[in-house]
Amino acid sequence: SRPSSRVPPHGSAVLARDRISSALGVLISLGLVVISLRYVTDFWLLAFFFSLQPQLAVLAALGSLLSLALHRSHFGYGLLAVSLLLGAHAFWMKREFLPSPDEMPQAQAAHVRLLSFNMLGDNDANAGRIAEMVKASGADVAYLFEAGPLAPYLSDLSAIYPYRIGCGVAVETCDLLMLSKHPMANPQFVSLSDLRQNRFAVATILVGGEPVEFAAIHVTKPYFDDYHTMELRRASRILKERGGTLVIGGDFNSDTIAPDMQRFLRRGNLQTAGVEPATWPVEAGIFGIPIDHIYTSKTIVPTALERIADNYGSNHYGLIADLAVSTAR
């Protein structure tokens, strides 16, 4: 009799595993190619994926392990190696902009606390809670973005923060709002592009008698053509013209490791205020992306950086940073 041409049951199972492993390998390869393109191009359409390099690299490594469990191959081991390499480099890039762990604030340093929070423009239901949170935060300076819902609470906030720009002061729009317990000199509002108006503000505030430039920024999303890069470049020029010690915070819509973000920090010789927590999307928790940042000149010593525990109905978490500013005394 002729031998049967049917594949034995165990052979069918092996074949199915091989096919699944191959399909996983293709998907993982495509993902790794996308995040690897950051090393050869800064094309805006891929910019969002560059911020996702740590998360995508971890997913690719887990996928590679699954692929190898289904079918051992040199290709699978190669994917795992590339995934681990890209993930390690993503975390290494973050280290470049961390403050020096050995730097200690001087005994006579003045301390200032900054709050930065994108509260979401249609978040009227939580505006009262947000106003109470700002008042109870202990912040000396507060940056609020998409702050229109806070308009009814401005007079209440002025009891603790008598100085402000935004929402009728310096500009009529109530989008970017900067509050301060201390006088603000030389306030400046700028539209960084024609896409969004008045989303960059800077003012000089004395901290322990020393002038510090406090800047608040809300940058356009990175996948809107080249606007993200252009806005960062223009902000750099404005800050360079003003000079002096700088504290800048806000919604940058990109991780610090994105190529144009790295250029922005290097141009300004800036550092993060500490290990940056994920701030968006709130549903992702610690697995999200740090797209909200507080950066400082390297002459400032950050002593703490924390994510606000509650998102107060926003799609972002806010940040609070404690900073030590050296004084001449």
Side-chain angles (χ1 to χ4, degrees):
S1 61
R2 299 170 60 184
S4 172
S5 60
R6 290 183 301 174
V7 178
H10 69 277
S12 298
V14 170
L15 183 60
R17 289 199 300 269
D18 288 351
R19 287 176 176 173
I20 295 172
S21 177
S22 297
L24 273 174
V26 171
L27 292 174
I28 294 165
S29 298
L30 290 174
L32 293 177
V33 167
V34 168
I35 58 178
S36 297
L37 285 173
R38 64 164 297 138
Y39 300 104
V40 294
T41 182
D42 192 12
F43 184 44
W44 61 269
L45 198 58
L46 300 173
F48 180 69
F49 295 102
F50 299 156
S51 288
L52 280 168
Q53 182 170 339
Q55 291 86 347
L56 291 178
V58 169
L59 285 176
L62 293 175
S64 299
L65 289 172
L66 177 58
S67 177
L68 286 169
L70 294 170
H71 175 72
R72 301 287 182 90
S73 68
H74 294 300
F75 182 64
Y77 284 112
L79 290 178
L80 178 60
V82 173
S83 302
L84 294 175
L85 184 62
L86 289 172
H89 188 236
F91 290 104
W92 182 264
M93 286 189 290
K94 291 177 180 287
R95 288 191 59 194
E96 176 183 350
F97 303 104
L98 288 173
S100 171
D102 300 325
E103 192 73 24
M104 298 296 293
Q106 298 177 355
Q108 70 271 28
H111 294 264
V112 62
R113 172 171 285 190
L114 172 68
L115 180 150
S116 178
F117 183 36
N118 183 339
M119 58 174 287
L120 194 60
D122 59 357
N123 195 9
D124 299 270
N126 292 284
R129 294 177 61 224
I130 292 171
E132 291 302 317
M133 178 272 291
V134 173
K135 291 192 296 182
S137 67
D140 299 282
V141 182
Y143 301 161
L144 287 308
F145 304 93
E146 301 185 27
L150 280 180
Y153 302 93
L154 291 176
S155 59
D156 186 31
L157 286 165
S158 66
I160 294 179
Y161 298 97
Y163 307 97
R164 83 166 190 263
I165 56 175
C167 296
V169 179
V171 292
E172 288 302 318
T173 55
C174 199
D175 186 6
L176 189 159
L177 174 64
M178 186 187 298
L179 304 173
S180 176
K181 293 180 178 179
H182 313 288
M184 293 188 283
N186 306 316
Q188 182 180 7
F189 257 93
V190 177
S191 298
L192 294 174
S193 71
D194 58 0
L195 193 62
R196 297 285 188 271
Q197 301 298 306
N198 298 318
R199 285 194 159 185
F200 180 60
V202 57
T204 307
I205 300 175
L206 293 180
V207 179
E210 297 297 319
V212 177
E213 301 299 309
F214 281 83
I217 189 169
H218 190 175
V219 189
T220 296
K221 293 176 175 61
Y223 43 83
F224 281 28
D225 208 331
D226 285 324
Y227 279 100
H228 191 273
T229 298
M230 290 188 296
E231 289 179 7
L232 287 177
R233 192 180 299 123
R234 187 172 185 198
S236 289
R237 288 198 298 267
I238 294 169
L239 294 172
K240 184 176 181 181
E241 290 170 0
R242 290 183 69 107
T245 303
L246 172 66
V247 176
I248 181 168
D251 178 2
F252 286 80
N253 271 308
S254 282
D255 196 337
T256 293
I257 65 173
D260 59 349
M261 293 285 287
Q262 290 184 318
R263 290 193 294 269
F264 174 76
L265 293 176
R266 289 175 185 139
R267 280 194 297 261
N269 195 27
L270 301 175
Q271 63 185 357
T272 64
V275 177
E276 298 187 297
T279 58
W280 177 91
V282 296
E283 295 82 4
I286 62 172
F287 300 105
I289 315 172
I291 66 171
D292 301 87
H293 307 281
I294 294 174
Y295 300 128
T296 76
S297 298
K298 293 184 179 178
T299 53
I300 290 178
V301 180
T303 57
L305 176 65
E306 295 180 354
R307 187 176 76 177
I308 298 173
D310 195 333
N311 66 305
Y312 294 93
S314 174
N315 58 343
H316 292 246
Y317 283 106
L319 297 172
I320 293 181
D322 290 309
L323 311 168
V325 179
S326 298
T327 64
R329 295 193 301 274

